[in-house]
Amino acid sequence: MSEVTVRFATADDAEIIKQMIHSLAHFQGHDANVRASTESLRLQLASEKPPFDCLLAELDGEAVGFALFYAFYSTWEARSGLYLEDLFVAPHVRGSGVGRILLERLSSVARERGCTQLDWMVQADNHQAQAFYANFGARTMSEWRRWRYDVAPVSHYSL
């Protein structure tokens, strides 16, 4: 397999992101719930303060996966974290390491931004995804299937 590259999406990638959102929704059986449009994604990514960031994984110039995320604030940690809203890898490259590459890059972004953790949720019946995340080193948080990956231990905080 060729080398997978990961980059931050721009407003010019809105159509690709929308297509992947629809593919993910279809995979999860929620096609009818998607309201995102190319234009809404483009406007948000082009705004001064976009409400989300998105990493795109590419293989030979083809977008094959994405990780869409945003910052949140942990009152207990008194620091920010990143919430992974969606991780998607195209079916024809699943099992090739693209998902792990996206999560590793997202972990690096979290560390670079001084975050304490990554959080996300997984559908209760998506055992393949749960096994993937557990293999990555994440852990379930509750019966809600919330997961956390501790980016780096924090011994003290300076303000």
Side-chain angles (χ1 to χ4, degrees):
M1 180 165 88
S2 301
E3 184 177 346
V4 174
T5 59
V6 177
R7 66 175 176 83
F8 277 93
T10 68
D12 292 336
D13 298 309
E15 176 62 26
I16 294 167
I17 295 167
K18 185 196 75 154
Q19 289 172 6
M20 288 194 197
I21 290 169
H22 278 277
S23 295
L24 175 62
H26 179 74
F27 174 77
Q28 294 176 338
H30 294 284
D31 301 81
N33 297 337
V34 178
R35 304 284 183 268
S37 70
T38 300
E39 189 58 22
S40 66
L41 294 167
R42 179 178 287 118
L43 287 172
Q44 290 171 28
L45 283 167
S47 70
E48 187 175 313
K49 189 174 182 185
F52 66 91
D53 284 302
C54 184
L55 295 173
L56 285 178
E58 296 174 325
L59 180 63
D60 297 327
E62 175 193 2
V64 294
F66 82 113
L68 193 144
F69 62 97
Y70 53 88
F72 69 90
Y73 188 78
S74 170
T75 54
W76 290 7
E77 295 284 341
R79 290 181 52 193
S80 293
L82 293 181
Y83 188 83
L84 175 60
E85 182 65 29
D86 286 315
L87 177 74
F88 176 76
V89 175
H92 70 282
V93 295
R94 288 187 187 147
S96 67
V98 172
R100 177 170 280 283
I101 290 168
L102 279 166
L103 276 179
E104 287 171 352
R105 179 65 180 110
L106 183 56
S107 297
S108 294
V109 169
R111 276 190 290 281
E112 291 162 9
R113 295 182 182 184
C115 297
T116 61
Q117 69 222 26
L118 297 174
D119 283 357
W120 62 89
M121 293 194 306
V122 179
Q123 283 184 312
D125 63 350
N126 192 342
H127 303 292
Q128 184 178 9
Q130 291 175 40
F132 169 76
Y133 293 129
N135 189 48
F136 186 74
R139 57 188 162 80
T140 59
M141 297 291 293
S142 71
E143 68 277 2
W144 295 100
R145 305 289 197 281
R146 188 169 185 135
W147 292 66
R148 173 167 294 153
Y149 174 75
D150 297 318
V151 176
V154 178
S155 58
H156 69 282
Y157 303 17
S158 59
L159 300 175

